[in-house]
Amino acid sequence: MTLTTRRNFRGHRALIVCAAERDREVLTQFLVELGVTPVVHENQDEAVSGRPFDLVFFDDELGRQFSDITHMIDRVQGPAIALIGSDAPSSVNWFIERQVSGYLTKPLRKGGILASLIIAYQTFNQCYETEQKLHRLEQQVRARQVVCTAAIKLIEDMGISVNDAFALLRSASMSRRLSLEDFAAMIVSGEIAVVVLKEEADAIHRLRESRLNHYS
């Protein structure tokens, strides 16, 4: 698989939650050079106003002190980059809980910020794509479970075979211009009574018999 690394961050808005003024200055200056708009948390009104942030840089010196700051960090729908100044397990665990996509060690230097930013975006995007793929697979599994549940209901209530049950579901959903999954859900919920499908089942059975007689 070929990965396309992103190097253009112009127009993005970054939240900076960092206690050390020198680290804030280094980070702010570098982000401005990249075309990123940095918003330092020291101005509470500015930090919560305007459009959502695209990414966040933060350390635990401020983040762990105030719950509202933690909530603000967690709400950012983009890469989270930790500014690490300590290897203490409590600090590291707190960063892991924030689901960081990358990190920088303090005191900050310009060298390494761009690489960390690129890696963080790549990691975040890959995780997002994986989550979306898993979500789609979960939806497919649930939909298939509903279809199987509806088929079992037809088998039990109408005394038909497995093949006839699925054939009936397909033909009945197509005639109503519904997806198989939506139609099955309506049967399971009782929105469509099984008895309504009896005539359609008889029609399928007669068609199958006529085909057998034709080839006999």
Tab-separated table of all heavy atoms in Angstrom, residues 63-127:
chain	number	residue	atom	x	y	z
A	63	GLY	N	-3.446	20.397	31.337
A	63	GLY	CA	-4.570	19.524	31.039
A	63	GLY	C	-5.092	18.747	32.223
A	63	GLY	O	-6.309	18.608	32.403
A	64	ARG	N	-4.199	18.256	33.092
A	64	ARG	CA	-4.636	17.425	34.204
A	64	ARG	C	-5.134	18.245	35.389
A	64	ARG	O	-5.732	17.693	36.318
A	64	ARG	CB	-3.492	16.523	34.662
A	64	ARG	CG	-3.059	15.528	33.592
A	64	ARG	CD	-1.841	14.743	34.025
A	64	ARG	NE	-2.139	13.862	35.147
A	64	ARG	CZ	-1.221	13.174	35.821
A	64	ARG	NH1	0.058	13.300	35.494
A	64	ARG	NH2	-1.565	12.383	36.812
A	65	GLN	N	-4.925	19.547	35.356
A	65	GLN	CA	-5.332	20.376	36.488
A	65	GLN	C	-6.807	20.748	36.441
A	65	GLN	O	-7.444	20.910	37.483
A	65	GLN	CB	-4.492	21.663	36.530
A	65	GLN	CG	-3.016	21.436	36.835
A	65	GLN	CD	-2.248	22.743	36.845
A	65	GLN	OE1	-2.809	23.809	37.047
A	65	GLN	NE2	-0.938	22.655	36.618
A	66	PHE	N	-7.345	20.878	35.256
A	66	PHE	CA	-8.715	21.381	35.129
A	66	PHE	C	-9.521	20.457	34.216
A	66	PHE	O	-9.121	20.185	33.085
A	66	PHE	CB	-8.714	22.806	34.559
A	66	PHE	CG	-7.847	23.757	35.331
A	66	PHE	CD1	-6.580	24.088	34.867
A	66	PHE	CD2	-8.281	24.307	36.530
A	66	PHE	CE1	-5.759	24.958	35.569
A	66	PHE	CE2	-7.461	25.186	37.239
A	66	PHE	CZ	-6.201	25.510	36.760
A	67	SER	N	-10.653	20.005	34.701
A	67	SER	CA	-11.480	19.070	33.924
A	67	SER	C	-12.019	19.715	32.659
A	67	SER	O	-12.194	19.042	31.634
A	67	SER	CB	-12.647	18.560	34.780
A	67	SER	OG	-13.473	19.633	35.221
A	68	ASP	N	-12.290	21.042	32.692
A	68	ASP	CA	-12.830	21.693	31.502
A	68	ASP	C	-11.814	21.699	30.371
A	68	ASP	O	-12.163	21.611	29.196
A	68	ASP	CB	-13.285	23.121	31.820
A	68	ASP	CG	-12.132	24.018	32.274
A	68	ASP	OD1	-11.251	23.498	32.993
A	68	ASP	OD2	-12.121	25.206	31.922
A	69	ILE	N	-10.511	21.783	30.731
A	69	ILE	CA	-9.467	21.736	29.708
A	69	ILE	C	-9.386	20.340	29.104
A	69	ILE	O	-9.245	20.180	27.885
A	69	ILE	CB	-8.100	22.144	30.297
A	69	ILE	CG1	-8.152	23.602	30.775
A	69	ILE	CG2	-6.999	21.974	29.258
A	69	ILE	CD1	-6.857	24.089	31.395
A	70	THR	N	-9.491	19.328	29.944
A	70	THR	CA	-9.484	17.947	29.449
A	70	THR	C	-10.631	17.717	28.479
A	70	THR	O	-10.454	17.115	27.416
A	70	THR	CB	-9.582	16.947	30.612
A	70	THR	OG1	-8.483	17.146	31.498
A	70	THR	CG2	-9.563	15.510	30.103
A	71	HIS	N	-11.816	18.202	28.831
A	71	HIS	CA	-12.975	18.064	27.948
A	71	HIS	C	-12.746	18.790	26.628
A	71	HIS	O	-13.139	18.309	25.560
A	71	HIS	CB	-14.239	18.606	28.626
A	71	HIS	CG	-14.650	17.829	29.836
A	71	HIS	ND1	-14.488	16.470	29.931
A	71	HIS	CD2	-15.228	18.224	31.002
A	71	HIS	CE1	-14.943	16.054	31.099
A	71	HIS	NE2	-15.388	17.105	31.768
A	72	MET	N	-12.128	19.963	26.684
A	72	MET	CA	-11.845	20.728	25.473
A	72	MET	C	-10.889	19.962	24.563
A	72	MET	O	-11.081	19.895	23.343
A	72	MET	CB	-11.252	22.090	25.839
A	72	MET	CG	-10.969	22.986	24.636
A	72	MET	SD	-10.200	24.547	25.128
A	72	MET	CE	-11.471	25.234	26.169
A	73	ILE	N	-9.850	19.364	25.159
A	73	ILE	CA	-8.893	18.572	24.382
A	73	ILE	C	-9.593	17.388	23.726
A	73	ILE	O	-9.398	17.113	22.538
A	73	ILE	CB	-7.749	18.084	25.290
A	73	ILE	CG1	-6.912	19.273	25.770
A	73	ILE	CG2	-6.871	17.063	24.561
A	73	ILE	CD1	-5.915	18.918	26.860
A	74	ASP	N	-10.409	16.688	24.488
A	74	ASP	CA	-11.072	15.477	23.981
A	74	ASP	C	-12.103	15.781	22.903
A	74	ASP	O	-12.441	14.899	22.107
A	74	ASP	CB	-11.739	14.720	25.136
A	74	ASP	CG	-10.724	14.119	26.106
A	74	ASP	OD1	-9.541	14.008	25.706
A	74	ASP	OD2	-11.101	13.781	27.237
A	75	ARG	N	-12.605	17.012	22.866
A	75	ARG	CA	-13.619	17.367	21.872
A	75	ARG	C	-13.034	17.667	20.496
A	75	ARG	O	-13.774	17.710	19.505
A	75	ARG	CB	-14.434	18.583	22.350
A	75	ARG	CG	-15.478	18.275	23.409
A	75	ARG	CD	-16.507	19.389	23.489
A	75	ARG	NE	-15.895	20.674	23.788
A	75	ARG	CZ	-15.729	21.169	25.009
A	75	ARG	NH1	-16.104	20.459	26.057
A	75	ARG	NH2	-15.186	22.346	25.195
A	76	VAL	N	-11.752	17.882	20.412
A	76	VAL	CA	-11.126	18.202	19.127
A	76	VAL	C	-11.207	16.988	18.205
A	76	VAL	O	-10.707	15.913	18.526
A	76	VAL	CB	-9.656	18.627	19.305
A	76	VAL	CG1	-9.002	18.850	17.951
A	76	VAL	CG2	-9.574	19.898	20.154
A	77	GLN	N	-11.848	17.159	17.057
A	77	GLN	CA	-12.005	16.078	16.076
A	77	GLN	C	-10.852	16.109	15.081
A	77	GLN	O	-11.025	16.435	13.908
A	77	GLN	CB	-13.355	16.219	15.356
A	77	GLN	CG	-14.557	16.125	16.265
A	77	GLN	CD	-14.659	14.759	16.921
A	77	GLN	OE1	-14.577	13.725	16.256
A	77	GLN	NE2	-14.834	14.744	18.234
A	78	GLY	N	-9.676	15.823	15.577
A	78	GLY	CA	-8.492	15.842	14.736
A	78	GLY	C	-7.315	15.288	15.517
A	78	GLY	O	-7.466	14.848	16.668
A	79	PRO	N	-6.124	15.307	14.928
A	79	PRO	CA	-4.955	14.755	15.598
A	79	PRO	C	-4.668	15.443	16.928
A	79	PRO	O	-4.746	16.663	17.038
A	79	PRO	CB	-3.824	15.003	14.596
A	79	PRO	CG	-4.499	15.156	13.276
A	79	PRO	CD	-5.806	15.799	13.569
A	80	ALA	N	-4.335	14.637	17.935
A	80	ALA	CA	-3.926	15.146	19.238
A	80	ALA	C	-2.450	14.832	19.426
A	80	ALA	O	-2.034	13.677	19.318
A	80	ALA	CB	-4.756	14.500	20.348
A	81	ILE	N	-1.657	15.872	19.676
A	81	ILE	CA	-0.207	15.711	19.800
A	81	ILE	C	0.210	16.075	21.223
A	81	ILE	O	-0.013	17.195	21.679
A	81	ILE	CB	0.538	16.583	18.782
A	81	ILE	CG1	0.112	16.188	17.355
A	81	ILE	CG2	2.046	16.449	18.950
A	81	ILE	CD1	0.712	17.053	16.276
A	82	ALA	N	0.790	15.114	21.913
A	82	ALA	CA	1.191	15.308	23.296
A	82	ALA	C	2.530	16.031	23.378
A	82	ALA	O	3.445	15.755	22.596
A	82	ALA	CB	1.283	13.954	24.003
A	83	LEU	N	2.633	16.946	24.321
A	83	LEU	CA	3.885	17.647	24.616
A	83	LEU	C	4.390	17.070	25.931
A	83	LEU	O	3.912	17.424	27.006
A	83	LEU	CB	3.640	19.153	24.724
A	83	LEU	CG	2.909	19.790	23.532
A	83	LEU	CD1	2.665	21.269	23.779
A	83	LEU	CD2	3.699	19.581	22.241
A	84	ILE	N	5.336	16.152	25.834
A	84	ILE	CA	5.742	15.346	26.985
A	84	ILE	C	6.999	15.910	27.636
A	84	ILE	O	8.024	16.124	26.981
A	84	ILE	CB	5.993	13.884	26.561
A	84	ILE	CG1	4.689	13.286	25.996
A	84	ILE	CG2	6.502	13.059	27.737
A	84	ILE	CD1	4.841	11.863	25.511
A	85	GLY	N	6.890	16.145	28.959
A	85	GLY	CA	8.038	16.628	29.712
A	85	GLY	C	8.430	15.683	30.815
A	85	GLY	O	9.396	15.937	31.542
A	86	SER	N	7.696	14.588	30.966
A	86	SER	CA	7.978	13.643	32.038
A	86	SER	C	7.633	12.232	31.584
A	86	SER	O	6.662	12.023	30.847
A	86	SER	CB	7.165	13.990	33.286
A	86	SER	OG	7.232	12.960	34.252
A	87	ASP	N	8.434	11.268	32.051
A	87	ASP	CA	8.166	9.858	31.752
A	87	ASP	C	7.387	9.178	32.870
A	87	ASP	O	7.262	7.950	32.881
A	87	ASP	CB	9.482	9.097	31.544
A	87	ASP	CG	10.202	9.528	30.275
A	87	ASP	OD1	9.522	10.004	29.348
A	87	ASP	OD2	11.443	9.389	30.214
A	88	ALA	N	6.860	9.955	33.793
A	88	ALA	CA	6.103	9.381	34.903
A	88	ALA	C	4.913	8.591	34.365
A	88	ALA	O	4.203	9.066	33.468
A	88	ALA	CB	5.618	10.482	35.841
A	89	PRO	N	4.683	7.389	34.896
A	89	PRO	CA	3.567	6.550	34.404
A	89	PRO	C	2.227	7.267	34.425
A	89	PRO	O	1.422	7.091	33.509
A	89	PRO	CB	3.590	5.355	35.364
A	89	PRO	CG	5.003	5.268	35.820
A	89	PRO	CD	5.473	6.697	35.927
A	90	SER	N	1.974	8.077	35.447
A	90	SER	CA	0.687	8.769	35.524
A	90	SER	C	0.514	9.734	34.358
A	90	SER	O	-0.584	9.859	33.792
A	90	SER	CB	0.567	9.525	36.851
A	90	SER	OG	1.630	10.469	36.991
A	91	SER	N	1.606	10.415	33.984
A	91	SER	CA	1.544	11.341	32.848
A	91	SER	C	1.357	10.586	31.537
A	91	SER	O	0.514	10.950	30.708
A	91	SER	CB	2.827	12.178	32.771
A	91	SER	OG	2.959	13.019	33.893
A	92	VAL	N	2.143	9.546	31.350
A	92	VAL	CA	2.052	8.764	30.116
A	92	VAL	C	0.668	8.159	29.966
A	92	VAL	O	0.069	8.183	28.875
A	92	VAL	CB	3.130	7.662	30.098
A	92	VAL	CG1	2.954	6.767	28.875
A	92	VAL	CG2	4.533	8.282	30.103
A	93	ASN	N	0.114	7.612	31.049
A	93	ASN	CA	-1.224	7.020	30.994
A	93	ASN	C	-2.278	8.061	30.654
A	93	ASN	O	-3.229	7.769	29.918
A	93	ASN	CB	-1.569	6.351	32.333
A	93	ASN	CG	-0.771	5.094	32.570
A	93	ASN	OD1	-0.295	4.449	31.622
A	93	ASN	ND2	-0.611	4.716	33.832
A	94	TRP	N	-2.098	9.271	31.182
A	94	TRP	CA	-3.064	10.325	30.888
A	94	TRP	C	-3.026	10.691	29.409
A	94	TRP	O	-4.058	10.903	28.791
A	94	TRP	CB	-2.768	11.556	31.743
A	94	TRP	CG	-3.796	12.638	31.609
A	94	TRP	CD1	-5.013	12.706	32.213
A	94	TRP	CD2	-3.694	13.810	30.792
A	94	TRP	NE1	-5.678	13.842	31.838
A	94	TRP	CE2	-4.885	14.540	30.963
A	94	TRP	CE3	-2.706	14.304	29.939
A	94	TRP	CZ2	-5.116	15.746	30.314
A	94	TRP	CZ3	-2.935	15.499	29.287
A	94	TRP	CH2	-4.134	16.211	29.476
A	95	PHE	N	-1.833	10.723	28.824
A	95	PHE	CA	-1.716	10.992	27.389
A	95	PHE	C	-2.355	9.869	26.571
A	95	PHE	O	-3.029	10.122	25.569
A	95	PHE	CB	-0.246	11.152	26.990
A	95	PHE	CG	0.365	12.446	27.400
A	95	PHE	CD1	1.519	12.477	28.167
A	95	PHE	CD2	-0.209	13.650	27.027
A	95	PHE	CE1	2.096	13.680	28.547
A	95	PHE	CE2	0.350	14.862	27.397
A	95	PHE	CZ	1.501	14.876	28.167
A	96	ILE	N	-2.154	8.627	26.992
A	96	ILE	CA	-2.746	7.490	26.274
A	96	ILE	C	-4.267	7.579	26.291
A	96	ILE	O	-4.940	7.292	25.290
A	96	ILE	CB	-2.267	6.160	26.887
A	96	ILE	CG1	-0.774	5.966	26.614
A	96	ILE	CG2	-3.063	4.978	26.326
A	96	ILE	CD1	-0.173	4.750	27.298
A	97	GLU	N	-4.826	7.999	27.423
A	97	GLU	CA	-6.281	8.155	27.527
A	97	GLU	C	-6.815	9.186	26.546
A	97	GLU	O	-7.963	9.105	26.108
A	97	GLU	CB	-6.659	8.546	28.953
A	97	GLU	CG	-6.466	7.433	29.968
A	97	GLU	CD	-6.706	7.925	31.392
A	97	GLU	OE1	-7.008	9.130	31.557
A	97	GLU	OE2	-6.596	7.101	32.320
A	98	ARG	N	-5.996	10.146	26.198
A	98	ARG	CA	-6.404	11.188	25.236
A	98	ARG	C	-6.301	10.674	23.798
A	98	ARG	O	-6.618	11.392	22.862
A	98	ARG	CB	-5.514	12.435	25.379
A	98	ARG	CG	-5.415	13.014	26.789
A	98	ARG	CD	-6.612	13.858	27.162
A	98	ARG	NE	-7.784	13.108	27.486
A	98	ARG	CZ	-7.964	12.424	28.639
A	98	ARG	NH1	-7.020	12.376	29.542
A	98	ARG	NH2	-9.081	11.792	28.871
A	99	GLN	N	-5.829	9.451	23.606
A	99	GLN	CA	-5.700	8.835	22.279
A	99	GLN	C	-4.855	9.704	21.339
A	99	GLN	O	-5.293	10.078	20.247
A	99	GLN	CB	-7.082	8.573	21.683
A	99	GLN	CG	-7.917	7.610	22.505
A	99	GLN	CD	-9.266	7.322	21.893
A	99	GLN	OE1	-9.706	8.001	20.955
A	99	GLN	NE2	-9.945	6.309	22.403
A	100	VAL	N	-3.653	10.013	21.793
A	100	VAL	CA	-2.775	10.880	21.009
A	100	VAL	C	-2.326	10.188	19.722
A	100	VAL	O	-2.180	8.964	19.667
A	100	VAL	CB	-1.545	11.312	21.834
A	100	VAL	CG1	-1.969	12.151	23.020
A	100	VAL	CG2	-0.740	10.100	22.289
A	101	SER	N	-2.124	10.999	18.688
A	101	SER	CA	-1.643	10.504	17.393
A	101	SER	C	-0.155	10.723	17.225
A	101	SER	O	0.451	10.198	16.283
A	101	SER	CB	-2.395	11.202	16.250
A	101	SER	OG	-3.786	11.006	16.362
A	102	GLY	N	0.448	11.535	18.099
A	102	GLY	CA	1.874	11.810	18.019
A	102	GLY	C	2.325	12.536	19.271
A	102	GLY	O	1.513	12.867	20.135
A	103	TYR	N	3.621	12.797	19.372
A	103	TYR	CA	4.126	13.507	20.559
A	103	TYR	C	5.404	14.262	20.238
A	103	TYR	O	6.121	13.960	19.279
A	103	TYR	CB	4.362	12.533	21.720
A	103	TYR	CG	5.563	11.636	21.548
A	103	TYR	CD1	6.813	12.007	22.058
A	103	TYR	CD2	5.462	10.416	20.891
A	103	TYR	CE1	7.918	11.193	21.902
A	103	TYR	CE2	6.555	9.596	20.725
A	103	TYR	CZ	7.784	9.987	21.240
A	103	TYR	OH	8.883	9.169	21.076
A	104	LEU	N	5.680	15.254	21.072
A	104	LEU	CA	6.924	16.021	21.035
A	104	LEU	C	7.455	16.088	22.460
A	104	LEU	O	6.671	16.146	23.418
A	104	LEU	CB	6.676	17.438	20.511
A	104	LEU	CG	6.286	17.585	19.037
A	104	LEU	CD1	5.717	18.983	18.784
A	104	LEU	CD2	7.499	17.341	18.155
A	105	THR	N	8.768	16.086	22.610
A	105	THR	CA	9.350	16.186	23.946
A	105	THR	C	9.716	17.633	24.239
A	105	THR	O	10.173	18.370	23.371
A	105	THR	CB	10.601	15.297	24.064
A	105	THR	OG1	11.533	15.646	23.037
A	105	THR	CG2	10.225	13.830	23.912
A	106	LYS	N	9.491	18.021	25.491
A	106	LYS	CA	9.837	19.374	25.944
A	106	LYS	C	11.228	19.372	26.570
A	106	LYS	O	11.627	18.356	27.151
A	106	LYS	CB	8.794	19.866	26.938
A	106	LYS	CG	7.383	19.930	26.366
A	106	LYS	CD	6.424	20.662	27.290
A	106	LYS	CE	6.276	19.940	28.626
A	106	LYS	NZ	5.310	20.630	29.515
A	107	PRO	N	11.960	20.496	26.449
A	107	PRO	CA	11.568	21.758	25.800
A	107	PRO	C	11.499	21.603	24.281
A	107	PRO	O	12.298	20.886	23.677
A	107	PRO	CB	12.682	22.719	26.214
A	107	PRO	CG	13.865	21.834	26.464
A	107	PRO	CD	13.317	20.568	27.033
A	108	LEU	N	10.521	22.285	23.688
A	108	LEU	CA	10.282	22.145	22.257
A	108	LEU	C	11.357	22.843	21.433
A	108	LEU	O	11.899	23.883	21.819
A	108	LEU	CB	8.911	22.736	21.898
A	108	LEU	CG	7.683	22.091	22.542
A	108	LEU	CD1	6.415	22.727	21.987
A	108	LEU	CD2	7.652	20.580	22.326
A	109	ARG	N	11.657	22.251	20.288
A	109	ARG	CA	12.529	22.845	19.281
A	109	ARG	C	11.829	22.731	17.938
A	109	ARG	O	10.980	21.841	17.738
A	109	ARG	CB	13.875	22.103	19.235
A	109	ARG	CG	14.666	22.151	20.522
A	109	ARG	CD	15.907	21.287	20.439
A	109	ARG	NE	15.552	19.894	20.210
A	109	ARG	CZ	15.193	19.048	21.176
A	109	ARG	NH1	15.123	19.476	22.437
A	109	ARG	NH2	14.905	17.805	20.889
A	110	LYS	N	12.161	23.606	17.022
A	110	LYS	CA	11.505	23.567	15.710
A	110	LYS	C	11.736	22.243	15.006
A	110	LYS	O	10.862	21.716	14.322
A	110	LYS	CB	11.989	24.725	14.836
A	110	LYS	CG	11.392	26.070	15.200
A	110	LYS	CD	11.724	27.110	14.141
A	110	LYS	CE	11.033	28.423	14.447
A	110	LYS	NZ	11.266	29.443	13.389
A	111	GLY	N	12.937	21.712	15.166
A	111	GLY	CA	13.240	20.440	14.547
A	111	GLY	C	12.365	19.332	15.103
A	111	GLY	O	12.279	19.132	16.312
A	112	GLY	N	11.700	18.627	14.221
A	112	GLY	CA	10.848	17.511	14.628
A	112	GLY	C	9.369	17.828	14.666
A	112	GLY	O	8.537	16.914	14.658
A	113	ILE	N	9.008	19.121	14.706
A	113	ILE	CA	7.581	19.471	14.790
A	113	ILE	C	6.851	19.071	13.513
A	113	ILE	O	5.768	18.486	13.556
A	113	ILE	CB	7.400	20.980	15.066
A	113	ILE	CG1	7.971	21.345	16.442
A	113	ILE	CG2	5.923	21.355	14.994
A	113	ILE	CD1	7.851	22.815	16.789
A	114	LEU	N	7.461	19.377	12.360
A	114	LEU	CA	6.805	19.039	11.093
A	114	LEU	C	6.647	17.531	10.954
A	114	LEU	O	5.577	17.048	10.560
A	114	LEU	CB	7.610	19.596	9.918
A	114	LEU	CG	7.044	19.276	8.523
A	114	LEU	CD1	5.625	19.808	8.388
A	114	LEU	CD2	7.951	19.849	7.438
A	115	ALA	N	7.700	16.782	11.276
A	115	ALA	CA	7.620	15.325	11.170
A	115	ALA	C	6.530	14.773	12.091
A	115	ALA	O	5.749	13.891	11.710
A	115	ALA	CB	8.962	14.693	11.519
A	116	SER	N	6.459	15.304	13.314
A	116	SER	CA	5.434	14.860	14.256
A	116	SER	C	4.039	15.187	13.742
A	116	SER	O	3.101	14.388	13.890
A	116	SER	CB	5.659	15.517	15.617
A	116	SER	OG	4.675	15.104	16.543
A	117	LEU	N	3.918	16.353	13.113
A	117	LEU	CA	2.622	16.777	12.575
A	117	LEU	C	2.181	15.863	11.440
A	117	LEU	O	1.020	15.428	11.379
A	117	LEU	CB	2.729	18.219	12.085
A	117	LEU	CG	1.432	18.973	11.770
A	117	LEU	CD1	0.524	18.999	12.979
A	117	LEU	CD2	1.755	20.387	11.317
A	118	ILE	N	3.100	15.544	10.540
A	118	ILE	CA	2.786	14.660	9.411
A	118	ILE	C	2.387	13.277	9.908
A	118	ILE	O	1.381	12.694	9.470
A	118	ILE	CB	3.988	14.563	8.457
A	118	ILE	CG1	4.233	15.903	7.771
A	118	ILE	CG2	3.752	13.473	7.410
A	118	ILE	CD1	5.508	15.956	6.948
A	119	ILE	N	3.179	12.733	10.837
A	119	ILE	CA	2.889	11.403	11.378
A	119	ILE	C	1.557	11.395	12.122
A	119	ILE	O	0.768	10.446	12.020
A	119	ILE	CB	4.030	10.947	12.308
A	119	ILE	CG1	5.299	10.709	11.494
A	119	ILE	CG2	3.645	9.678	13.069
A	119	ILE	CD1	6.535	10.453	12.340
A	120	ALA	N	1.290	12.462	12.871
A	120	ALA	CA	0.040	12.536	13.632
A	120	ALA	C	-1.173	12.529	12.707
A	120	ALA	O	-2.162	11.830	12.962
A	120	ALA	CB	0.040	13.793	14.511
A	121	TYR	N	-1.113	13.306	11.627
A	121	TYR	CA	-2.226	13.322	10.675
A	121	TYR	C	-2.394	11.966	10.005
A	121	TYR	O	-3.514	11.480	9.811
A	121	TYR	CB	-2.016	14.405	9.617
A	121	TYR	CG	-2.698	15.705	9.944
A	121	TYR	CD1	-2.005	16.728	10.583
A	121	TYR	CD2	-4.041	15.916	9.638
A	121	TYR	CE1	-2.629	17.929	10.891
A	121	TYR	CE2	-4.667	17.112	9.942
A	121	TYR	CZ	-3.954	18.110	10.565
A	121	TYR	OH	-4.577	19.297	10.886
A	122	GLN	N	-1.269	11.350	9.623
A	122	GLN	CA	-1.330	10.045	8.974
A	122	GLN	C	-1.938	9.009	9.917
A	122	GLN	O	-2.818	8.221	9.529
A	122	GLN	CB	0.073	9.597	8.552
A	122	GLN	CG	0.093	8.380	7.643
A	122	GLN	CD	-0.447	8.687	6.263
A	122	GLN	OE1	-0.268	9.780	5.747
A	122	GLN	NE2	-1.131	7.725	5.675
A	123	THR	N	-1.500	9.014	11.166
A	123	THR	CA	-2.022	8.068	12.157
A	123	THR	C	-3.499	8.303	12.419
A	123	THR	O	-4.300	7.356	12.473
A	123	THR	CB	-1.235	8.200	13.479
A	123	THR	OG1	0.149	7.941	13.238
A	123	THR	CG2	-1.754	7.227	14.520
A	124	PHE	N	-3.870	9.572	12.579
A	124	PHE	CA	-5.270	9.903	12.845
A	124	PHE	C	-6.161	9.476	11.689
A	124	PHE	O	-7.226	8.873	11.892
A	124	PHE	CB	-5.417	11.404	13.087
A	124	PHE	CG	-6.837	11.845	13.301
A	124	PHE	CD1	-7.428	11.724	14.542
A	124	PHE	CD2	-7.590	12.363	12.252
A	124	PHE	CE1	-8.753	12.120	14.753
A	124	PHE	CE2	-8.902	12.760	12.441
A	124	PHE	CZ	-9.483	12.635	13.698
A	125	ASN	N	-5.745	9.772	10.460
A	125	ASN	CA	-6.558	9.422	9.293
A	125	ASN	C	-6.696	7.909	9.140
A	125	ASN	O	-7.778	7.413	8.793
A	125	ASN	CB	-5.945	10.026	8.026
A	125	ASN	CG	-6.074	11.529	7.975
A	125	ASN	OD1	-6.948	12.111	8.610
A	125	ASN	ND2	-5.186	12.184	7.241
A	126	GLN	N	-5.610	7.176	9.395
A	126	GLN	CA	-5.681	5.724	9.295
A	126	GLN	C	-6.614	5.145	10.355
A	126	GLN	O	-7.402	4.233	10.065
A	126	GLN	CB	-4.280	5.119	9.433
A	126	GLN	CG	-3.397	5.334	8.212
A	126	GLN	CD	-2.020	4.734	8.380
A	126	GLN	OE1	-1.542	4.545	9.485
A	126	GLN	NE2	-1.363	4.432	7.272
A	127	CYS	N	-6.528	5.671	11.576
A	127	CYS	CA	-7.426	5.206	12.644
A	127	CYS	C	-8.881	5.524	12.313
A	127	CYS	O	-9.774	4.704	12.542
A	127	CYS	CB	-7.034	5.851	13.978
A	127	CYS	SG	-5.487	5.249	14.672
